[in-house]
Amino acid sequence: MTSETVRPDLREGPKRETVRRALARTDGFVSAQQLHLEINAGGDSIGLATVYRHLGALAEQGDADTISVASGQLFRTCTRPGAHHHHLICDSCGTAADIAPADEEWIRTAAREHGFTVTHHRIEVFGRCRECLDSE
Amino acid sequence: MTSETVRPDLREGPKRETVRRALARTDGFVSAQQLHLEINAGGDSIGLATVYRHLGALAEQGDADTISVASGQLFRTCTRPGAHHHHLICDSCGTAADIAPADEEWIRTAAREHGFTVTHHRIEVFGRCRECLDSE
DNA sequence: ATGCGTGCAAACGATTTGCAGAGAA
DNA sequence: TTCTCTGCAAATCGTTTGCACGCAT
């Protein structure tokens, strides 16, 4: 439960940018494998392990957001680095959008009632994006 | 992305109750493996696969909540079956509490601005529980 | 020569599945 | 007998790691 793993490997390198760009090109959250496929399909050549390594590093630096789903971790370019925001994810196509948080004071209040001190939270909203709604 | 997997296996059985009880006994979210260990340590005997099968079934029926973290899925007895609620999770010991949602209208509003129709959402609040705070 | 980023393939760890045995109906 | 729950072991699958090669300093 207490983490903080420092990767003895990898610092930067040309592929870092390749991954960063590919990630920026995607609309929603993508898995490392999907991204790997897209990169190679797009002409560039990169190894799966390298994609994992760079995605991990990007996420650690706060340049990418990640969410965990049953099938693994998904990544997305963090459009507002450092800024607090949440995600709106299309159930059907995976497209995602950032949404600004509203009043979140109730979170601290509710937590206090349970004797908790809040460190951070995550809100994920699922639904259908306009395009998927149209094509149904 | 479109789910709805019906398990051709398992309906009920004596072990279902074993799993349900063991799950009810735990404070926070537990992994299938942890639960498997605890069950066997508690005198009962059960196979890991069976634990997975029943946990999956319980979650499907709404008798258990689950969250996905990097290391896999975690389960917890759903204390208010069917009722909408969110989770407050202790970063340090994993203890969890249910919290009642506050006004969530802003979610639909924000979604609408992006052309989304909301189907569901999830709020996970992380922090430190009273006990962990005390022992630090 | 030395160091570091990469790719490939092997290693891993969590979860799922195939299959045979046991007990209930 | 017949059906279904179980357990075990094998199979999957996403992710990580070991190691050797190649370019840049």
Side-chain angles (χ1 to χ4, degrees):
Chain A
M1 279 292 177
T2 356
S3 45
E4 205 64 57
T5 319
V6 200
R7 309 187 181 263
D9 44 7
L10 182 64
R11 298 191 187 175
E12 272 280 337
K15 301 294 179 173
R16 168 72 116 268
E17 196 53 27
T18 304
V19 172
R20 206 195 302 275
R21 284 175 194 283
L23 194 59
R25 251 184 268 123
T26 70
D27 286 328
F29 281 89
V30 278
S31 66
Q33 314 225 19
Q34 275 173 68
L35 199 64
H36 171 232
L37 242 44
E38 284 170 29
I39 293 177
N40 287 310
D44 283 303
S45 170
I46 194 173
L48 179 57
T50 304
V51 174
Y52 273 105
R53 290 193 265 238
H54 283 299
L55 281 178
L58 288 173
E60 235 170 64
Q61 306 183 332
D63 287 346
D65 304 315
T66 82
I67 58 176
S68 294
V69 296
S71 57
Q73 293 229 136
L74 301 181
F75 302 79
R76 182 183 196 280
T77 290
C78 184
T79 54
R80 320 178 201 176
H84 178 56
H85 64 276
H86 299 297
H87 300 294
L88 186 55
I89 305 156
C90 179
D91 276 335
S92 147
C93 70
T95 293
D98 288 347
I99 53 181
D103 171 54
E104 300 185 330
E105 193 47 41
W106 69 272
I107 290 179
R108 238 155 300 149
T109 304
R112 205 175 305 126
E113 286 169 20
H114 289 273
F116 275 67
T117 293
V118 176
T119 55
H120 63 288
H121 65 273
R122 183 196 306 164
I123 300 183
E124 286 161 19
V125 182
F126 298 89
R128 300 286 174 149
C129 70
R130 182 143 30 209
E131 270 129 52
C132 288
L133 280 173
D134 288 347
S135 62
E136 265 175 13
Chain B
M1 279 290 179
T2 356
S3 47
E4 206 64 57
T5 319
V6 199
R7 309 187 180 262
D9 43 8
L10 181 65
R11 298 191 185 172
E12 273 279 337
K15 301 293 180 175
R16 168 72 115 267
E17 196 52 27
T18 304
V19 172
R20 205 195 304 276
R21 283 174 194 282
L23 194 59
R25 249 184 270 122
T26 70
D27 286 328
F29 281 89
V30 279
S31 66
Q33 314 227 21
Q34 274 172 69
L35 199 64
H36 171 232
L37 242 45
E38 284 170 28
I39 293 178
N40 287 310
D44 282 302
S45 169
I46 194 173
L48 179 56
T50 304
V51 173
Y52 272 106
R53 289 192 266 239
H54 283 299
L55 281 177
L58 288 172
E60 235 170 63
Q61 305 183 332
D63 286 346
D65 306 314
T66 81
I67 59 176
S68 294
V69 296
S71 57
Q73 292 229 135
L74 301 181
F75 303 79
R76 182 184 195 282
T77 290
C78 184
T79 54
R80 319 178 201 177
H84 178 57
H85 63 277
H86 299 298
H87 300 293
L88 185 56
I89 306 156
C90 179
D91 276 335
S92 145
C93 69
T95 292
D98 289 347
I99 52 181
D103 171 52
E104 299 185 330
E105 193 48 40
W106 68 273
I107 290 179
R108 239 154 299 150
T109 305
R112 204 176 305 127
E113 285 169 19
H114 289 273
F116 275 67
T117 292
V118 176
T119 55
H120 62 288
H121 65 275
R122 183 195 306 162
I123 300 182
E124 285 161 19
V125 183
F126 298 88
R128 300 286 175 150
C129 70
R130 181 144 31 208
E131 270 129 53
C132 288
L133 280 172
D134 288 346
S135 62
E136 264 175 13

